[in-house]
Amino acid sequence: MEITELLFVYAMVFVLSAIPFIEALFLTPIAILGGLSFWPVLILAIAGNLLTVYLVIIFIDYIKAWRNKRGKENNKRSSRAKNLWSKYGLPGLALLGPFLVGSHLTAFLSLVFGGTKKRVFYWMTISIAGWSLVLGILAVFGIDWFNFDNPFIEDFFNRNTP
């Protein structure tokens, strides 16, 4: 793979991880299983995801005002998050929420339910970085343990090389 293609692929890891519901904790193992290097994937995926989650935290007041204009929606995801908040508080919602409702909505709802920006910032960083690291390590060991070969990925990269 040429350097420009490699840079593009890693840039896409950053961009895709910033998108709600794709996120770092799902993208990290997928990219590693796809044959990308562990550390660049981990760093770029976490950075992309945290960037947009931090934007939600910083601009929460504007997001709340916009949401109030649209009318509040009480949906299944909000109900799940409220249940997590009631049972486990901010740490529980921050650690479990990304799997159930996504990290962006988890950050938003943590602030709506009464978390401070500083604590939500802290717990969301721990959650996103921690889960991405754990799932990335599991992907690496899964490749080694199962002697994983991905013919689709290998064929894709071999087809594009002269």
Side-chain angles (χ1 to χ4, degrees), residues 18-78:
I19 297 173
F21 307 112
I22 294 177
E23 306 184 13
L25 63 146
F26 301 117
L27 188 64
T28 300
I30 291 169
I32 291 168
L33 289 173
L36 297 177
S37 298
F38 176 80
W39 287 110
V41 164
L42 184 69
I43 291 166
L44 291 170
I46 290 171
N49 199 173
L50 285 177
L51 172 70
T52 52
V53 168
Y54 290 165
L55 290 175
V56 168
I57 294 169
I58 291 167
F59 294 110
I60 186 65
D61 298 324
Y62 298 107
I63 296 168
K64 281 181 184 177
W66 172 77
R67 188 171 180 249
N68 287 336
K69 272 188 204 177
R70 272 186 13 163
K72 290 187 178 183
E73 302 165 5
N74 189 7
N75 60 26
K76 200 183 253 189
R77 289 183 180 178
S78 296

Side-chain angles (χ1 to χ4, degrees), residues 64-125:
K64 281 181 184 177
W66 172 77
R67 188 171 180 249
N68 287 336
K69 272 188 204 177
R70 272 186 13 163
K72 290 187 178 183
E73 302 165 5
N74 189 7
N75 60 26
K76 200 183 253 189
R77 289 183 180 178
S78 296
S79 298
R80 282 190 220 155
K82 184 68 173 169
N83 289 339
L84 283 173
W85 180 268
S86 298
K87 288 181 184 177
Y88 308 110
L90 176 59
L93 179 58
L95 293 172
L96 298 174
F99 290 104
L100 302 174
V101 298
S103 61
H104 299 85
L105 188 56
T106 297
F108 174 76
L109 292 173
S110 295
L111 292 162
V112 168
F113 297 153
T116 64
K117 287 183 179 182
K118 185 177 181 180
R119 290 197 67 221
V120 172
F121 183 92
Y122 172 77
W123 279 105
M124 290 307 299
T125 301

